[in-house]
Amino acid sequence: MNIFKRFWKSLYSPADIASFRNDKIRKSIVYIIVLSFVTFLPLAYFTNVTTKNALKVGEETITKEIPDFNVKDGKLVLTDDSVKNIPISIDQDQLHIYFDASGTLDKDDVDNKIASYDSAVAFLSDSIYFTAAGVSQSISYDTAGISNKADLVDLYTSIESLAKYFIPIALLILFLFTLGSIFFRVALYSLFGFILSGFGRTGISFRQNWMMASYSITLAAVFTMVMEALQVVVPFGMEINMVVSMIFVFLAIRTIPPSEPTILEK
């Protein structure tokens, strides 16, 4: 059975998942890698889009919208006396820019102001805060080498020119993180199945539980991918996926023929 048929069967058939338990381990590894890649696609797309949207805020926009400032002792200091309305909020479609030398805003405030898949760049009183597609990072002005507005414009120009290099690298790192996370969950579900099957005393080894767990995550992975593609935030999504995957492991063990009884059937 090829990988596409295995994928389809794994969406709904614990019996077929159980039948894969004696396959070679390399098949499960290939399957996990492919499934991880498919699950990663929406995150990769939105990360790429939001990053490019952020870079569309060009030097002219920064020059006109961000007031003059200096950085003293690591703190943002406004030098334009004509600016009265602080914090400043600039909206560019799904990109939001905040400038606050007063210390009113913090990272949590920024997160609360934007939607889940929007991106934001916030010039806070003590650091620059970036967030895009759920990935956030803050950096001090000293670390960024920014002491005034001219430095900020220069930094933006440099980042824009390097974007074609760091976006693929960032996506590769995110994919490896996604892949590692899925391998960890498979190992966890394998242990769950190994416990249910009597720690191997009933003829179902940890290796076989690994094979079943590798395919039992399919429905949860597809659900995650669809929700990511639709930009829908599911409350307790991780917990729901864990429960669904464990149910598939449980049902797969239950469908093993009587010649290989399990602890659940005694």
Side-chain angles (χ1 to χ4, degrees):
M1 187 181 297
N2 63 40
I3 193 170
F4 299 105
K5 289 183 179 179
R6 287 169 181 267
F7 172 80
W8 177 250
K9 293 287 186 180
S10 298
L11 286 172
Y12 65 89
S13 177
D16 282 293
I17 290 174
S19 71
F20 302 150
R21 68 190 182 278
N22 292 318
D23 287 346
K24 294 181 179 179
I25 197 73
R26 62 179 176 81
K27 287 188 176 181
S28 72
I29 293 175
V30 171
Y31 185 81
I32 291 172
I33 293 173
V34 172
L35 190 63
S36 299
F37 180 75
V38 172
T39 304
F40 175 70
L41 288 178
L43 177 61
Y45 171 77
F46 287 112
T47 299
N48 185 54
V49 168
T50 53
T51 302
K52 287 184 176 180
N53 285 341
L55 293 172
K56 286 180 181 179
V57 180
E59 182 177 343
E60 182 178 354
T61 301
I62 294 176
T63 302
K64 290 182 177 180
E65 301 292 342
I66 300 296
D68 290 334
F69 66 87
N70 287 325
V71 176
K72 295 182 179 179
D73 299 324
K75 299 290 185 179
L76 195 63
V77 178
L78 188 63
T79 59
D80 189 345
D81 296 332
S82 65
V83 178
K84 303 298 181 183
N85 296 322
I86 297 291
I88 294 173
S89 177
I90 305 168
D91 296 321
Q92 300 280 343
D93 296 326
Q94 290 184 312
L95 172 66
H96 307 275
I97 301 175
Y98 300 97
F99 180 91
D100 179 32
S102 66
T104 302
L105 289 179
D106 60 21
K107 292 182 288 187
D108 291 336
D109 294 327
V110 173
D111 291 336
N112 291 333
K113 286 177 178 291
I114 67 174
S116 299
Y117 284 86
D118 285 3
S119 56
V121 179
F123 300 95
L124 304 177
S125 63
D126 60 350
S127 63
I128 306 174
Y129 178 60
F130 306 89
T131 180
V135 179
S136 303
Q137 180 66 50
S138 61
I139 183 173
S140 68
Y141 291 102
D142 291 339
T143 302
I146 296 175
S147 60
N148 53 43
K149 184 175 178 178
D151 290 339
L152 173 61
V153 174
D154 291 341
L155 177 63
Y156 170 80
T157 303
S158 299
I159 291 175
E160 190 174 29
S161 64
L162 292 173
K164 60 183 179 181
Y165 301 110
F166 74 71
I167 290 177
I169 293 173
L171 291 178
L172 176 60
I173 293 172
L174 285 174
F175 173 70
L176 293 176
F177 178 82
T178 300
L179 182 62
S181 174
I182 291 181
F183 268 108
F184 174 78
R185 279 179 278 170
V186 170
L188 181 64
Y189 304 147
S190 302
L191 179 60
F192 171 75
F194 194 52
I195 294 172
L196 287 181
S197 56
F199 295 95
R201 290 192 299 270
T202 57
I204 306 176
S205 65
F206 182 83
R207 176 187 174 282
Q208 291 175 317
N209 276 290
W210 169 277
M211 295 297 298
M212 291 187 288
S214 299
Y215 296 96
S216 294
I217 65 172
T218 304
L219 182 61
V222 171
F223 174 76
T224 299
M225 180 191 68
V226 172
M227 293 299 101
E228 291 278 356
L230 296 176
Q231 301 185 40
V232 175
V233 178
V234 180
F236 307 105
M238 181 177 295
E239 290 79 4
I240 292 172
N241 287 344
M242 288 183 63
V243 171
V244 170
S245 298
M246 287 181 175
I247 289 174
F248 265 80
V249 171
F250 170 81
L251 294 176
I253 293 173
R254 289 294 300 269
T255 61
I256 292 176
S259 58
E260 299 179 67
T262 72
I263 193 172
L264 301 175
E265 295 172 333
K266 291 183 178 180

